[in-house]
Amino acid sequence: MFPCALNEAARFWMKHCTSRRAFSTLRSRFVLGIETSCDETGAAVLDETGVIWGESLYSQKKTHLDAGGIIPTVAQRLHRENISRVVQEALDRSGIEPSELTAVATTVKPGLALSLGVGLDFSLKFVRLHEKPFIPIHHMEAHALTVRMLHPVDFPFLVLLVSGGHSLLALAKGIDEFLLLGQTLDVAAGDTLDKIARRLSLRNHPECSTLSGGQAIELLAKEGDRLAFHFKSPMGQLYDCNFSFAGLRNQVTMAINKKEREEGVEKGQLLSCVKDIAAASQHTVASHIAKRTHRAILFCKSKGLLPQHNPTLVVSGGVASNEYIRQTLKIVTDATGLHLLCPPTKFCTDNGVMIAWNGIERLKQRKGIMSYTEEVNYEPKAPLGLDITSEVKDAAIKLPPLKLRINS
Ligand code: KG4
Ligand code: ZN
């Protein structure tokens, strides 16, 4: 049975059982998930049907927004200050004792070394103290699989992961089996939006002071004219599925410099055309992502890599919560006959739930569960799956015309 169907049954029982604890004894497998790969300290307890029994999340976003970017030593300090509380909160909310856990799953790759180290140190002490098996988790695998907690998505499916640290396209063939079709050659989509937002001083915009760069751009773009600026779509002449955002950032920076000179605007002040720049930047990011995804779909189809019945594109990562980008991708999936699935925003950004769910998937398939943890280490850089990006490039698939026009 699929997790979501089981979820329904589990929720029914949870509602109607006189005691949640009594129910917990019926369902015996629980995983505690811990996430600290970047700037969120997250923990959650899930059962094997995907029911979230307890969760807690501490976001460092505000501190990093104030500082103008993530300073790894600050991220490390904040993870250290919060991890015990966050894990305890998730456990308390779940009503599950550490002794009742089946295993602990923790992100060990990829991510910021200093951040990963905090989660791993904490987890190793925890599993040794409570004598529990440990499941090391690949952060991007976790993003890719989260959707299966919510929908019955069978392998293989195509997955687009767009976050602050990553932009990649892969074919998910199994819980730990991925074919990498394309990845960013320089910076990630989210990082680019964050830097554009910072350059535009959107922190000083009354509606954006608490938002991440991507969220601020999305909000302002709603009232902007994307045609007021023209930014060239990256890598138009390269027929692969890789991404590049550095050139776009340069184009936007040059446009901002020019406008600042024209308007006599000082550093930190807002330009009159911030909304237009936000809209044009967002559109260029969206169309670049959509074009690479379109090519990945055609490549997979030409190689028979996607199922005939209900082929699916899963989109996740922080940038996937952007509605404009989702709508642009919908144009591509409608044109190619794919089903588009995006987890709700709360599950697109980093959290402990996705790590616990990955632990559950591994537990069910008995993959990567460790009883002996002496050898475990974190890996700041870790590719996702088997890299076939050069095969995709060699196929040199030209895209048929497709209008990526969204009515805002
Ligand atoms: O997945 P995530 O929480 O952390 C990483 O693993 O990177 O993604 C965070 C990124 C940030 O760059 C943020 O600006 C971006 O996701 N983001 C968005 C939106 N919400 C968050 N980008 C575009 N539109 C949004 N609505
Ligand atoms: Zn992430």
Side-chain angles (χ1 to χ4, degrees):
M1 211 192 298
F2 284 110
C4 65
L6 280 170
N7 268 349
E8 286 304 311
R11 281 195 194 102
F12 175 87
W13 278 103
M14 280 166 68
K15 245 181 168 172
H16 294 89
C17 261
T18 42
S19 129
R20 221 173 129 173
R21 284 203 64 74
F23 178 76
S24 93
T25 54
L26 295 175
R27 305 214 65 85
S28 55
R29 300 216 290 182
F30 294 94
V31 169
L32 166 66
I34 299 177
E35 157 65 28
T36 66
S37 69
C38 189
D39 56 353
E40 318 276 350
T41 317
V45 178
L46 263 66
D47 70 21
E48 61 192 304
T49 70
V51 169
I52 302 163
W53 285 67
E55 63 178 308
S56 177
L57 187 67
Y58 170 75
S59 175
Q60 307 177 353
K61 193 168 71 187
K62 182 161 181 333
T63 309
H64 299 311
L65 273 173
D66 290 344
I70 299 178
I71 302 165
T73 47
V74 174
Q76 179 190 43
R77 177 175 56 77
L78 292 174
H79 282 305
R80 276 195 185 135
E81 285 172 10
N82 289 286
I83 189 156
S84 296
R85 178 184 59 78
V86 165
V87 170
Q88 197 53 53
E89 246 170 40
L91 283 166
D92 289 348
R93 287 171 185 162
S94 73
I96 306 292
E97 295 295 326
S99 60
E100 294 173 285
L101 293 170
T102 311
V104 176
T106 301
T107 308
V108 299
K109 61 186 175 186
L112 295 174
L114 295 180
S115 295
L116 288 167
V118 178
L120 182 58
D121 281 352
F122 179 92
S123 303
L124 292 183
K125 283 188 191 123
F126 188 97
V127 295
R128 284 168 195 159
L129 177 68
H130 299 288
E131 297 180 336
K132 296 290 164 188
F134 182 60
I135 311 179
I137 300 294
H138 190 301
H139 182 84
M140 304 314 286
E141 278 186 20
H143 270 307
L145 299 180
T146 310
V147 70
R148 285 166 45 87
M149 184 181 87
L150 309 158
H151 301 278
V153 189
D154 279 331
F155 297 109
F157 57 87
L158 185 62
V159 59
L160 165 71
L161 298 177
V162 271
S163 69
H166 299 271
S167 305
L168 62 84
L169 278 157
L171 185 78
K173 296 177 75 181
I175 63 161
D176 60 350
E177 204 188 339
F178 291 82
L179 294 180
L180 184 67
L181 306 170
Q183 61 186 329
T184 183
L185 302 178
D186 39 55
V187 283
D191 191 29
T192 305
L193 293 172
D194 290 340
K195 291 199 166 108
I196 292 173
R198 205 175 309 144
R199 183 64 189 79
L200 284 168
S201 303
L202 297 188
R203 280 281 284 147
N204 299 334
H205 192 286
E207 289 173 67
C208 302
S209 60
T210 60
L211 302 183
S212 70
Q215 287 170 322
I217 299 260
E218 177 169 27
L219 181 76
L220 295 184
K222 286 191 175 119
E223 290 174 15
D225 173 10
R226 72 171 176 82
L227 298 173
F229 289 85
H230 176 73
F231 301 129
K232 209 165 153 276
S233 192
M235 303 173 88
Q237 299 309 311
L238 293 173
Y239 303 121
D240 59 22
C241 292
N242 289 326
F243 300 91
S244 168
F245 294 96
L248 169 65
R249 187 179 157 207
N250 280 342
Q251 291 181 66
V252 178
T253 305
M254 284 191 316
I256 296 171
N257 290 344
K258 182 163 173 279
K259 278 285 162 194
E260 281 180 345
R261 280 195 303 272
E262 281 171 23
E263 293 187 9
V265 156
E266 300 282 316
K267 208 170 174 239
Q269 287 182 320
L270 292 165
L271 280 169
S272 64
C273 55
V274 275
K275 291 180 176 172
D276 298 340
I277 295 179
S281 306
Q282 177 180 258
H283 177 76
T284 312
V285 168
S287 77
H288 181 43
I289 291 173
K291 284 176 185 163
R292 301 336 254 188
T293 307
H294 192 176
R295 180 168 293 111
I297 293 171
L298 298 183
F299 175 82
C300 288
K301 284 189 164 191
S302 72
K303 303 280 178 194
L305 293 171
L306 286 171
Q308 296 285 329
H309 176 69
N310 211 12
T312 301
L313 169 69
V314 169
V315 185
S316 198
V319 180
S321 48
N322 184 295
E323 200 49 48
Y324 188 90
I325 293 174
R326 288 183 183 207
Q327 283 181 35
T328 313
L329 287 164
K330 183 83 173 66
I331 295 173
V332 174
T333 50
D334 283 351
T336 49
L338 262 74
H339 182 51
L340 175 65
L341 277 179
C342 309
T345 300
K346 150 180 191 338
F347 296 122
C348 278
T349 49
D350 293 352
N351 59 78
V353 173
M354 69 183 203
I355 306 306
W357 173 250
N358 198 331
I360 293 283
E361 293 251 42
R362 285 184 166 273
L363 197 66
K364 286 203 248 181
Q365 295 197 12
R366 297 201 184 92
K367 282 184 168 167
I369 304 157
M370 308 177 74
S371 314
Y372 180 75
T373 51
E374 296 307 316
E375 301 288 306
V376 190
N377 223 326
Y378 59 81
E379 294 169 51
K381 287 202 184 319
L384 179 70
L386 179 67
D387 186 344
I388 62 159
T389 52
S390 52
E391 199 183 315
V392 176
K393 190 174 185 174
D394 291 345
I397 295 172
K398 293 212 170 91
L399 296 180
L402 184 61
K403 285 208 171 75
L404 300 171
R405 235 173 247 159
I406 309 292
N407 303 320
S408 41

